[in-house]
Amino acid sequence: MTPSIDGRIVLRDWNVPNATREYERTAATFDADAWIIGRVSMEPYAGKTRIPARKSREPIAREDFVAPHDAESYAIAIDPSGKLTWRENNIDGEHVITILTKAVSDNYLAFLQAKGISYLFGGQSKIDLPSVLQRLRSRFGIKKLLLEGGGKINGTFLEANVIDEVSILVAPVADGSVGTPTLFDVEKNAPARSLKLMSVEKRPGGIVWLRYKVR
Ligand SMILES: NC(=O)c1ccc[n+]([C@@H]2O[C@H](COP(=O)([O-])OP(=O)(O)OC[C@H]3O[C@@H](n4cnc5c(N)ncnc54)[C@H](OP(=O)(O)O)[C@@H]3O)[C@@H](O)[C@H]2O)c1
């Protein structure tokens, strides 16, 4: 994640020219199997397309669906009610997996299947993160997963205590905008997690790379 010094994460008018390059370069050092982001952050990557009306009235079972693919890495979204209108089943060659709840419509499931997009059910109406992470491993072999924001998905992972390490590129910006997403936005008052500092590295453009283990 790339937060400002006050933890805000929407880059708007930050004017940090090398932020994206440093973000991608840093992410690559982890050699991860997949990355996961929230529905809001995924919208620009998913694109826009029309969801066709389904002709069949046959109900579709609420079972995980692994679409045929030969990708070695994965782009994953949490989209509980099926709002993303995916244009493709991959992002730069990385196979798309979407995490849904069972409340999504048959029409939407038929759309995903026709597009060749894999999906897992996270629960009836809520997402059970430990169960999803176990199935990402058993069904797709995903062992190392980069959690790449925004604040809401990060907050749910923090609350579920399923983060091993925090890696942040602190941008040289004091943002100050009240109400903007932050590094971790937890809905309820979850207990704060204590971190152990692992490394500090100065990066071009005044960016500082901090790595922590979650205790
Ligand atoms: N600076 C950085 O490094 C960085 C990185 C990534 C993103 N961002 C920025 O972050 C902003 C978006 O952040 P955000 O906090 O508003 O949104 P977000 O975390 O990207 O997406 C939140 C949405 O994802 C779904 N979701 C995520 N986790 C869930 C869970 N465990 N259970 C159920 N639903 C879950 C929900 O979708 P529904 O609303 O459909 O229920 C939720 O409202 C964007 O402006 C983006 O540019 C910054």
Side-chain angles (χ1 to χ4, degrees):
M1 293 296 295
T2 305
S4 61
I5 62 155
D6 50 340
R8 269 88 181 200
I9 58 165
V10 181
L11 273 66
R12 17 176 227 125
D13 54 355
W14 284 9
N15 193 22
V16 183
N18 47 346
T20 308
R21 195 183 64 226
E22 289 304 312
Y23 188 94
E24 297 301 338
R25 179 161 86 92
T26 309
T29 64
F30 286 93
D31 196 21
D33 305 304
W35 49 279
I36 187 166
I37 60 180
R39 191 266 305 164
V40 175
S41 299
M42 189 57 99
E43 260 163 15
Y45 298 97
K48 276 198 166 46
T49 191
R50 203 178 57 83
I51 312 247
R54 184 166 165 259
K55 290 192 184 87
S56 165
R57 284 169 179 264
E58 197 67 22
I60 299 179
R62 296 311 188 251
E63 288 166 1
D64 294 346
F65 173 72
V66 179
H69 64 277
D70 54 13
E72 285 172 6
S73 56
Y74 300 89
I76 309 170
I78 300 192
D79 180 19
S81 40
K83 293 179 187 157
L84 292 171
T85 55
W86 300 94
R87 286 181 70 84
E88 308 271 357
N89 71 346
N90 72 91
I91 298 174
D92 296 335
E94 298 183 298
H95 181 68
V96 169
I97 306 170
T98 186
I99 313 298
L100 310 168
T101 63
K102 294 186 177 175
V104 294
S105 68
D106 285 349
N107 214 36
Y108 190 71
L109 295 178
F111 161 74
L112 294 178
Q113 290 186 8
K115 277 270 171 203
I117 292 172
S118 298
Y119 54 80
L120 299 182
F121 287 102
Q124 204 66 38
S125 59
K126 290 176 91 174
I127 306 285
D128 177 344
L129 286 177
S131 160
V132 167
L133 294 174
Q134 274 161 15
R135 278 175 289 139
L136 286 173
R137 185 168 180 148
S138 62
R139 303 215 197 293
F140 300 93
I142 295 168
K143 293 181 184 162
K144 196 188 274 187
L145 177 61
L146 295 183
L147 171 62
E148 295 195 322
K152 283 199 182 123
I153 189 173
N154 290 354
T156 62
F157 271 65
L158 188 75
E159 193 183 7
N161 202 12
V162 288
I163 299 176
D164 301 306
E165 184 180 326
V166 175
S167 162
I168 55 170
L169 292 163
V170 182
V173 174
D175 182 294
S177 52
V178 173
T180 196
T182 76
L183 200 48
F184 296 103
D185 290 326
V186 185
E187 301 250 325
K188 289 166 265 158
N189 257 350
R193 304 261 175 227
S194 151
L195 308 175
K196 183 173 189 292
L197 183 65
M198 305 304 287
S199 65
V200 180
E201 192 181 308
K202 203 172 160 190
R203 286 295 186 81
I207 292 172
V208 180
W209 183 22
L210 301 173
R211 288 180 74 168
Y212 300 89
K213 283 267 176 237
V214 178
R215 286 184 199 271

